[in-house]
Amino acid sequence: MRYSNCFVPTLRDVPADAEVISHQLLLRAGYIRRVTSGVYDYLPLALRVLRRIEAIIREEMEKAGAQELLMPMVQPAELWEKSDRMAKYGPELLRFKDRHDHESCLGPTHEEVICDLMSRELRSYKQLPINLYQIQNKFRDEIRPRFGLMRGREFVMKDAYSFHADDESLMAEYRNMFDTYTRIFDRLGLRFRPVEADTGSIGGNDSHEFHVLADSGEDVIAHCDGCDYAANVEKAVSVRSVPAGTPAALAELHTPGVTSAEDVAAFVGIEPALLIKTLVYRVCGGEQDGAIVAACVRGDDQLQEVKLIHALAADAVELASDAEIEAIGGVTGFVGPVGLQQAELWMDIGLQGAIGMVAGANRRDLHVTGLDVARDVAQARFIDLRETRAGDRCSHCDGSIALSRGIEVGQVFALGRRYTEPMEVQFQNQQGKREIATMGCYGIGVSRLMAAVVEQCHDEGGIAWPDVLAPFTVILVSMGQSDGVMEASGDIYQQLKRAGVDVLWDERKERPGVKFKDAELIGIPLQVVMGDRGLAEGVAEFGRRGGDRREIAVADVVAETLAELASGGRTAV
Amino acid sequence: MRYSNCFVPTLRDVPADAEVISHQLLLRAGYIRRVTSGVYDYLPLALRVLRRIEAIIREEMEKAGAQELLMPMVQPAELWEKSDRMAKYGPELLRFKDRHDHESCLGPTHEEVICDLMSRELRSYKQLPINLYQIQNKFRDEIRPRFGLMRGREFVMKDAYSFHADDESLMAEYRNMFDTYTRIFDRLGLRFRPVEADTGSIGGNDSHEFHVLADSGEDVIAHCDGCDYAANVEKAVSVRSVPAGTPAALAELHTPGVTSAEDVAAFVGIEPALLIKTLVYRVCGGEQDGAIVAACVRGDDQLQEVKLIHALAADAVELASDAEIEAIGGVTGFVGPVGLQQAELWMDIGLQGAIGMVAGANRRDLHVTGLDVARDVAQARFIDLRETRAGDRCSHCDGSIALSRGIEVGQVFALGRRYTEPMEVQFQNQQGKREIATMGCYGIGVSRLMAAVVEQCHDEGGIAWPDVLAPFTVILVSMGQSDGVMEASGDIYQQLKRAGVDVLWDERKERPGVKFKDAELIGIPLQVVMGDRGLAEGVAEFGRRGGDRREIAVADVVAETLAELASGGRTAV
């Protein structure tokens, strides 16, 4: 394509409100423009990249035996009532009424629609297993859309849904999809890591997320340096050594105005690990909706709320108000596990059997010392509640846990019968009996992937696309506008096109400096430069973006380009 | 692909609520399933057809110099306020508020979004002309979705928008797009006709619609048998000879209870063409919103409301109530042009100069005779208001007008500055002055096209896809399940795949009758049949769907297939 015919509105300055580098570069390089909060136009260069990502995903999904279909964006609310998610999904599910007053919503995901389809079309075990996928725009009404394509409201997603006669078949497909995702992200040239994940609002049993490693990632993932254990910190477990407390009788200690874990530890003169930190929450959603619960971790730990939410089978938890704390017999700032009434008490497993601990006394300006959890806290339920920290010991080997930031670009779920049961996805088994199918679902954030690639692949000059994703593989830069240069350039352009190379010919009447800046910024991997000087000698300059260029014979441009692409040389990362 | 791995839920019976053949066949052949009113799942076969249509559209759009981009489905209402369509568009524009209470809508079309983009990115005349298009899901909240994909609510559309420095450039692109559309519909193998069209709610100056000819079409198009004049009846003009009235004085005639045009003509003993039929409307939208107007045509003509709406620059008209008719001095059943007060009076141009006419007297049970339009109706405005009928004379030549039914699958608009002016799409011209750009827009209903093709291409057995659109080009039917047949079929299957042929291998354990019925129903153009008998002789049966099959050597299957496809032989239509 000729540059003059390509709509690429590059910007010289960094846009004011773009915080992360992918957002800045995609705006500056003329890939995207904001329409409204979390909603973007994909300009021609961006669409070309999206299409390349989609093509790789399609190829691997088809190889894996999945079939593509297309479901609608607008969904009837009754399907969400049937799956019991209409109330549960929260305000991210954008709801509206159509002109006939039918409650509808914009699809943030399609479990309901596909189950509705399968409940009508599935008849026999002979139709199973089946895996159906689509690539389609989704809408999630995020409370705070940010970081450009990283957390948008309308976004492109690949979502796949598989149905099975039994869980063995489901787990085989789960592994098949896990491997397929690994192949997809490998082909995209990304540094990524699959991690164990919480199942969140989708539900089900097993789940893995695929994270692209990047400092700007919103997720924290824990991984072991000794084995291949890796998990989202929302779910990660680890072990650590804690100091042993000294056996003692339960006693009260006057601690006027001393409330934070650090202050209490300093005031008492103990390590924070010997303190019990108690948090009181209001449960949102689920069977205990509205209930007040207490949860304890050691003073130097952080409570990982997702683990508590999971244990409560709730949609969310919110910190309780002072009045709610009082209602269960607590006092804000001095809450402790001893003496709380009418509230479920959850304790981190690391507190099981702890002795000589210090905790709030549930009375103003008082703590208790010598607390023996087994002796003094009868009603506690022990689960893993603490957030894994860097330096913890792996629970699978002797290795040490490290934390990294990641951008979640894919997730696979072994849903089981979470949706197929309420939505009546049934089939006749070999014995002629009706059975409920079991189900998996598998998502990839296609537009987010584009941003994630930029987070990993950029330098000071702009975006450094991997060859397989670049909107054009080669940029041909004409230096000056002399007839000779334009003619020689036009000739190279035609040759590259005939060879099937996606080439962008910068034939604009612009200074060379402007052209090179734009070429770097938009991130085309290979550069061919034709100027008056080379013209005389029959040579062009050839090289990778961000590297040195060398002179090659004009006659060799096509061959050199193809060789360079075949070598798969990656751009600087 | 193997048939067993392809999700094609065919039905034996015609679905009860499907009225038109494309709706019936797309359901029966397992292409689509209804999700909710006017909203469908596109199952794998349908998606393959959609992708083929899209590929042809893309190829021709790119050849024509357009660039693809992708805009969002969710649009902020403020853009529609700016273009002044928020109120005008009516309830087809689905509006809602997001969680932050921002008024938004689901895009039924994208003039606003693209103008917003261009108003920010367009700087210089050097960027013009430019044509940007997308293929994307749209939503229009139709009051009565029907006929399956023909009039759905969520549908796939190709929409293109061009911007220009002047109207000469706009009209050149308009012709370019007209020609491009002609090429696209030609390549799709459709019998179609471009016709002059009303500009409707999109607005602008010139417009043409592209209609696929089919009896089930919702539109009526008028075309001349002597020249290439063709227009939607909403806009079509024509001439006809009318009997001359006899000059007379205006007189009253007692016509008790005689109100319909036919009855009045019979009662008076004149031809209906000598009667003036007067209709009273309430204007909806536009500057005259709420006003009551009267409109007259000859007694044997029908008033074409779209022409009146256009003349009034309104969004719609509705028949006035008895009270509203009274308020302007009329009496329902006896309304006439003489003596109406405080109402605009529009008359069909064919009534200009008419004499000796009969009309309602605006008094109960009374008509007037001897009406001389020029003498008695001073305030009338004459425009073309009548609906063209079959047999009318062409207004361009001596030919005769015929009417056909059509399915509108494309429309091109020379919009001018209808949107660019309110939305401030400006550029700096060669003299350095700011100017408002002029604009065109060009749509193709991609999913409706799929239905339109089925309306034209089907027979008793099912869908008869043109080669270029079929989800698979060849269906390979294995007769029986013997090792020999399966092995020979597998071999042919691999050979066809290697030759790049899209082949569907029906290797199911089903009776031959079931397989052939399904093959006909889903409409694969070429059939290769492998059975035990042929196996012994090394032959397979080969033929077109709906035609005879002949025996060919197994070794020749690939060559015969490629030859047949190259011949472009069309399936029975």
Side-chain angles (χ1 to χ4, degrees):
Chain A
M1 184 173 244
R2 286 161 180 259
Y3 203 115
S4 307
N5 298 339
C6 195
F7 182 52
V8 188
T10 55
L11 307 171
R12 287 290 155 251
D13 300 318
V14 178
D17 52 353
E19 293 170 53
V20 298
I21 193 73
S22 62
H23 191 191
Q24 291 171 5
L25 284 175
L26 290 170
L27 284 169
R28 278 189 57 207
Y31 281 74
I32 60 172
R33 286 295 183 264
R34 181 181 182 275
V35 176
T36 184
S37 175
V39 177
Y40 291 85
D41 288 327
Y42 300 92
L43 304 190
L45 289 190
L47 191 62
R48 293 177 78 101
V49 176
L50 271 186
R51 293 280 182 261
R52 283 177 205 261
I53 297 174
E54 290 174 10
I56 289 172
I57 292 175
R58 279 201 178 91
E59 229 179 277
E60 295 296 336
M61 289 299 291
E62 303 279 335
K63 258 193 239 166
Q67 298 180 56
E68 191 174 0
L69 85 175
L70 184 62
M71 292 180 273
M73 190 154 169
V74 171
Q75 308 184 359
E78 57 255 39
L79 298 183
W80 288 72
E81 298 287 1
K82 199 164 181 186
S83 72
D84 196 28
R85 279 211 291 187
M86 195 64 189
K88 278 193 175 168
Y89 207 93
E92 271 186 28
L93 181 66
L94 199 144
R95 302 136 206 256
F96 54 85
K97 289 189 172 175
D98 69 13
R99 70 191 289 171
H100 296 301
D101 239 21
H102 288 147
E103 187 107 30
S104 309
C105 62
L106 281 189
T109 173
H110 280 67
E111 283 81 10
E112 281 76 6
V113 175
I114 193 98
C115 281
D116 174 54
L117 175 69
M118 293 311 289
S119 73
R120 289 178 283 140
E121 303 302 336
L122 185 59
R123 286 175 192 88
S124 157
Y125 70 94
K126 291 181 203 163
Q127 293 169 275
L128 298 176
I130 185 169
N131 187 339
L132 296 163
Y133 78 100
Q134 62 175 351
I135 296 178
Q136 190 225 32
N137 273 29
K138 299 276 186 282
F139 193 90
R140 289 184 191 165
D141 203 359
E142 295 274 353
I143 188 158
R144 201 159 67 87
R146 58 194 179 278
F147 306 151
L149 301 187
M150 297 266 260
R151 189 164 292 277
R153 295 198 298 162
E154 185 167 336
F155 55 94
V156 184
M157 185 167 159
K158 188 284 297 177
D159 44 328
Y161 306 90
S162 70
F163 296 87
H164 308 268
D166 54 48
D167 286 328
E168 194 185 328
S169 166
L170 166 59
M171 289 319 292
E173 185 65 13
Y174 184 87
R175 279 185 297 273
N176 179 28
M177 283 295 109
F178 187 98
D179 294 342
T180 300
Y181 277 33
T182 303
R183 273 197 302 276
I184 289 170
F185 298 126
D186 267 338
R187 284 184 61 182
L188 295 177
L190 288 164
R191 282 178 293 118
F192 69 95
R193 199 185 265 274
V195 305
E196 292 178 13
D198 185 68
T199 51
S201 68
I202 301 278
N205 310 319
D206 289 299
S207 181
H208 280 86
E209 290 166 350
F210 287 78
H211 284 269
V212 168
L213 304 177
D215 291 339
S216 57
E218 292 189 87
D219 283 281
V220 177
I221 58 182
H223 43 94
C224 174
D225 64 4
C227 70
D228 61 2
Y229 177 72
N232 194 309
V233 284
E234 293 176 352
K235 174 163 179 148
V237 292
S238 59
V239 289
R240 63 177 188 115
S241 46
V242 287
T246 315
L250 197 65
E252 283 186 350
L253 180 71
H254 191 53
T255 50
V258 186
T259 57
S260 80
E262 292 73 26
D263 292 350
V264 174
F267 185 86
V268 183
I270 52 167
E271 290 182 58
L274 290 177
L275 201 76
I276 296 178
K277 191 156 66 179
T278 307
L279 295 133
V280 183
Y281 289 99
R282 186 181 340 98
V283 180
C284 304
E287 292 197 357
Q288 299 197 64
D289 187 39
I292 304 298
V293 301
C296 302
V297 292
R298 284 181 182 265
D300 58 345
D301 274 331
Q302 295 302 320
L303 186 139
Q304 170 49 256
E305 290 183 355
V306 172
K307 294 181 179 178
L308 180 64
I309 292 167
H310 200 100
L312 293 165
D315 300 333
V317 291
E318 282 176 13
L319 282 172
S321 67
D322 293 352
E324 286 168 328
I325 292 173
E326 251 172 66
I328 60 162
V331 173
T332 304
F334 299 91
V335 183
V338 180
L340 281 185
Q341 297 137 15
Q342 299 170 315
E344 265 186 18
L345 178 63
W346 296 82
M347 280 194 144
D348 180 61
I349 192 86
L351 284 168
Q352 199 161 24
I355 55 171
M357 304 295 286
V358 172
N362 295 316
R363 285 162 62 200
R364 184 155 313 282
D365 296 340
L366 278 184
H367 277 76
V368 292
T369 60
L371 196 155
D372 177 329
V373 170
R375 181 189 67 197
D376 304 324
V377 190
Q379 82 278 31
R381 297 161 75 167
F382 296 94
I383 56 164
D384 174 53
L385 273 182
R386 68 181 284 271
E387 185 164 294
T388 289
R389 291 185 312 191
D392 284 354
R393 215 171 66 244
C394 177
S395 55
H396 295 71
C397 76
D398 272 344
S400 174
I401 294 290
L403 299 182
S404 302
R405 293 209 152 258
I407 303 165
E408 187 213 318
V409 291
Q411 190 162 8
V412 292
F413 296 88
L415 293 172
R417 295 169 179 81
R418 159 69 186 88
Y419 295 92
T420 49
E421 187 158 353
M423 303 207 67
E424 300 170 80
V425 182
Q426 301 179 346
F427 65 98
Q428 199 162 44
N429 67 17
Q430 277 186 278
Q431 288 73 46
K433 283 198 178 145
R434 302 291 289 167
E435 250 189 84
I436 293 167
T438 181
M439 178 181 182
C441 79
Y442 320 92
I444 291 181
V446 179
S447 45
R448 184 186 284 180
L449 253 178
M450 177 155 65
V453 172
V454 176
E455 289 291 332
Q456 271 195 2
C457 308
H458 68 269
D459 57 24
E460 294 210 336
I463 305 173
W465 293 113
D467 292 359
V468 290
L469 294 186
F472 293 93
T473 319
V474 175
I475 186 159
L476 168 63
V477 179
S478 298
M479 305 265 279
Q481 295 272 321
S482 74
D483 288 352
V485 165
M486 293 307 279
E487 200 175 303
S489 303
D491 199 48
I492 294 172
Y493 177 61
Q494 292 301 339
Q495 285 187 32
L496 284 167
K497 274 178 55 169
R498 271 197 300 273
V501 175
D502 264 321
V503 52
L504 181 65
W505 176 19
D506 193 347
E507 29 60 288
R508 294 177 298 167
K509 284 184 197 165
E510 295 282 2
R511 283 176 294 111
V514 170
K515 293 189 178 189
F516 285 115
K517 272 227 163 78
D518 279 339
E520 295 269 311
L521 182 58
I522 66 177
I524 311 304
L526 300 183
Q527 302 183 341
V528 176
V529 182
M530 189 69 229
D532 275 315
R533 206 177 52 85
L535 187 65
E537 300 162 27
V539 297
E541 289 178 25
F542 177 82
R544 276 207 170 264
R545 176 193 175 286
D548 292 331
R549 284 190 297 270
R550 59 200 162 85
E551 293 196 335
I552 60 171
V554 165
D556 295 339
V557 166
V558 170
E560 293 274 358
T561 299
L562 295 177
E564 181 63 35
L565 291 176
S567 82
R570 288 280 307 286
T571 51
V573 169
Chain B
M1 185 173 243
R2 285 160 180 261
Y3 204 115
S4 307
N5 298 338
C6 194
F7 182 53
V8 189
T10 56
L11 307 171
R12 287 289 155 253
D13 301 319
V14 178
D17 53 352
E19 293 170 53
V20 299
I21 193 74
S22 61
H23 191 189
Q24 291 171 6
L25 285 175
L26 290 171
L27 283 170
R28 277 189 58 207
Y31 280 73
I32 60 171
R33 284 297 181 265
R34 181 181 182 276
V35 176
T36 185
S37 175
V39 177
Y40 291 86
D41 287 326
Y42 299 93
L43 304 190
L45 290 189
L47 191 63
R48 293 178 77 100
V49 176
L50 271 187
R51 293 279 182 261
R52 285 178 204 262
I53 296 174
E54 290 174 11
I56 289 173
I57 291 175
R58 279 202 179 91
E59 229 180 276
E60 294 296 337
M61 289 299 291
E62 303 279 336
K63 259 193 237 165
Q67 298 179 57
E68 190 173 0
L69 85 174
L70 184 61
M71 292 180 275
M73 190 154 170
V74 171
Q75 307 186 359
E78 58 254 38
L79 298 182
W80 289 71
E81 298 288 0
K82 200 165 180 185
S83 72
D84 196 29
R85 280 211 291 187
M86 195 64 190
K88 278 193 174 166
Y89 207 94
E92 271 185 28
L93 181 66
L94 198 143
R95 301 137 207 255
F96 55 86
K97 289 189 172 174
D98 69 14
R99 69 191 290 171
H100 296 302
D101 238 25
H102 288 147
E103 187 108 30
S104 309
C105 61
L106 281 188
T109 173
H110 279 68
E111 283 81 11
E112 281 77 5
V113 176
I114 194 98
C115 281
D116 173 52
L117 174 68
M118 293 312 288
S119 72
R120 289 177 284 140
E121 303 302 335
L122 185 59
R123 285 177 192 88
S124 156
Y125 69 94
K126 291 181 202 164
Q127 295 170 273
L128 299 175
I130 185 169
N131 188 338
L132 296 163
Y133 79 98
Q134 63 175 350
I135 297 179
Q136 190 226 32
N137 273 28
K138 299 275 187 280
F139 194 91
R140 289 184 191 166
D141 203 0
E142 295 274 353
I143 189 159
R144 202 160 64 88
R146 57 194 181 279
F147 307 150
L149 301 188
M150 296 268 258
R151 189 163 292 277
R153 295 197 298 162
E154 185 166 335
F155 55 96
V156 185
M157 185 166 160
K158 188 284 297 177
D159 45 328
Y161 307 90
S162 71
F163 295 88
H164 308 268
D166 54 48
D167 287 329
E168 193 185 330
S169 166
L170 166 60
M171 291 318 293
E173 185 64 14
Y174 184 88
R175 280 185 296 274
N176 181 26
M177 283 294 109
F178 186 99
D179 295 342
T180 300
Y181 277 32
T182 303
R183 275 196 301 276
I184 289 169
F185 299 126
D186 268 336
R187 283 185 61 182
L188 295 177
L190 289 164
R191 283 177 293 118
F192 69 96
R193 199 184 266 276
V195 307
E196 292 178 14
D198 184 67
T199 51
S201 69
I202 302 277
N205 310 318
D206 288 299
S207 181
H208 280 86
E209 289 166 349
F210 288 78
H211 284 269
V212 168
L213 303 176
D215 290 341
S216 57
E218 292 188 86
D219 282 281
V220 177
I221 58 183
H223 42 95
C224 174
D225 66 5
C227 70
D228 61 2
Y229 177 72
N232 193 309
V233 284
E234 292 176 354
K235 168 157 185 155
V237 292
S238 59
V239 290
R240 65 180 188 113
S241 48
V242 286
T246 316
L250 197 64
E252 283 186 351
L253 180 70
H254 191 56
T255 51
V258 187
T259 57
S260 80
E262 293 73 28
D263 292 351
V264 174
F267 185 89
V268 182
I270 53 167
E271 291 184 57
L274 291 175
L275 200 77
I276 296 178
K277 192 156 68 177
T278 307
L279 294 132
V280 183
Y281 290 99
R282 183 180 344 97
V283 181
C284 305
E287 291 196 358
Q288 299 196 67
D289 186 41
I292 305 298
V293 301
C296 302
V297 292
R298 283 181 182 266
D300 58 347
D301 274 331
Q302 295 302 320
L303 185 138
Q304 171 50 254
E305 290 184 354
V306 172
K307 294 180 178 178
L308 180 64
I309 291 167
H310 199 99
L312 292 164
D315 301 330
V317 291
E318 283 176 14
L319 283 172
S321 67
D322 293 353
E324 286 169 328
I325 292 174
E326 252 174 64
I328 60 162
V331 173
T332 303
F334 301 91
V335 183
V338 180
L340 280 187
Q341 297 137 16
Q342 301 170 311
E344 266 186 16
L345 178 62
W346 297 83
M347 281 192 141
D348 180 61
I349 192 86
L351 285 167
Q352 198 161 26
I355 54 173
M357 304 295 285
V358 172
N362 295 315
R363 286 163 60 200
R364 183 154 314 278
D365 296 340
L366 277 184
H367 278 79
V368 293
T369 60
L371 194 156
D372 178 330
V373 171
R375 181 189 67 198
D376 304 324
V377 191
Q379 80 278 32
R381 298 160 75 165
F382 297 94
I383 57 164
D384 174 52
L385 272 182
R386 67 181 284 271
E387 183 163 294
T388 289
R389 291 187 311 194
D392 284 355
R393 216 171 67 244
C394 178
S395 56
H396 295 72
C397 75
D398 273 345
S400 174
I401 294 290
L403 299 182
S404 303
R405 292 210 153 257
I407 302 165
E408 187 213 320
V409 290
Q411 190 161 9
V412 292
F413 296 88
L415 293 172
R417 293 169 180 81
R418 159 68 185 88
Y419 295 92
T420 50
E421 188 158 352
M423 302 207 68
E424 301 170 80
V425 181
Q426 301 179 345
F427 65 97
Q428 199 163 44
N429 67 17
Q430 277 186 279
Q431 287 74 46
K433 282 198 179 147
R434 301 291 289 169
E435 249 190 83
I436 293 167
T438 181
M439 178 181 179
C441 77
Y442 320 93
I444 291 181
V446 179
S447 45
R448 183 187 282 179
L449 252 179
M450 177 156 67
V453 172
V454 176
E455 290 291 331
Q456 271 195 2
C457 307
H458 68 268
D459 56 25
E460 295 209 337
I463 305 173
W465 292 113
D467 292 357
V468 290
L469 293 186
F472 294 93
T473 320
V474 175
I475 187 159
L476 168 64
V477 179
S478 297
M479 305 265 280
Q481 295 273 321
S482 73
D483 288 351
V485 165
M486 292 307 278
E487 199 175 304
S489 303
D491 197 48
I492 294 173
Y493 177 62
Q494 292 301 338
Q495 285 186 34
L496 283 167
K497 273 179 57 170
R498 270 197 299 275
V501 175
D502 264 322
V503 52
L504 181 65
W505 176 19
D506 193 347
E507 28 60 289
R508 294 177 297 166
K509 285 183 195 166
E510 295 280 1
R511 283 177 293 110
V514 170
K515 293 189 179 191
F516 285 116
K517 271 227 163 81
D518 279 338
E520 295 269 311
L521 182 58
I522 66 178
I524 311 303
L526 299 183
Q527 301 182 342
V528 177
V529 182
M530 189 71 228
D532 276 313
R533 207 176 54 82
L535 186 64
E537 301 162 27
V539 297
E541 290 179 25
F542 177 83
R544 275 205 170 266
R545 177 193 175 287
D548 293 330
R549 282 191 298 271
R550 57 198 163 87
E551 291 194 336
I552 59 171
V554 166
D556 294 340
V557 166
V558 170
E560 292 275 357
T561 300
L562 295 177
E564 180 64 35
L565 290 176
S567 82
R570 287 280 309 284
T571 51
V573 169

